[in-house]
Amino acid sequence: QVRLVESGGGLVQAGGSLRLSCAASGHIFNTLAMFRRAPGKEREFVAAITWIGRSTDYADSVKGRFTISRDNAKNTVYLEMNSLKPEDTAVYYCAAATYSPRRVAWTSEYDNWGQGTQVTVSS
């Protein structure tokens, strides 16, 4: 059974940092990604990393502030978030694609999702 479990969310002041974790089990994935959904908005792509090769992609809004990485031995992906802004407030979701996504930002390319973790950035 495929399972993705996020952790590490919380409340932080603007300019602060948080590290999210996504523990994956039960399957072999091509790509793991993080998406987020802010209140009243659509789910949007944040970052992605391939399981082999460590290729990464980022949304323009987080480039230079967020870093995605993975630990294959622990089957875990990390999203290091620095210089957080109030507009980063959202529920963050981990997503896994069995096959190489045609576009990493397309939610339809991911066949497994975590339950989400809340990140709140206060001004």
Side-chain angles (χ1 to χ4, degrees):
Q1 182 179 355
V2 175
R3 191 166 183 228
L4 300 174
V5 180
E6 301 101 332
S7 61
L11 173 64
V12 64
Q13 287 188 331
S17 299
L18 280 175
R19 188 176 80 157
L20 304 183
S21 300
C22 172
S25 62
H27 202 54
I28 297 174
F29 305 105
N30 175 276
T31 299
L32 279 173
M34 298 296 291
F35 287 76
R36 66 187 182 186
R37 187 168 188 168
K41 294 187 176 181
E42 296 290 322
R43 191 172 299 193
E44 65 172 0
F45 171 75
V46 175
I49 187 166
T50 55
W51 207 244
I52 298 175
R54 301 179 185 265
S55 175
T56 58
D57 286 278
Y58 295 93
D60 288 343
S61 59
V62 306
K63 279 181 182 176
R65 300 188 298 123
F66 291 11
T67 302
I68 192 167
S69 62
R70 58 165 174 68
D71 183 333
N72 284 16
K74 296 181 178 180
N75 285 344
T76 300
V77 168
Y78 303 99
L79 184 68
E80 188 75 35
M81 305 185 295
N82 298 314
S83 302
L84 282 162
K85 305 175 182 179
E87 50 264 44
D88 293 317
T89 295
V91 177
Y92 284 70
Y93 298 91
C94 182
T98 302
Y99 303 103
S100 179
R102 289 169 292 174
R103 292 288 187 273
V104 292
W106 290 357
T107 57
S108 59
E109 297 295 294
Y110 297 87
D111 38 14
N112 292 285
W113 292 83
Q115 82 287 352
T117 186
Q118 176 71 46
V119 171
T120 303
V121 184
S122 62
S123 56

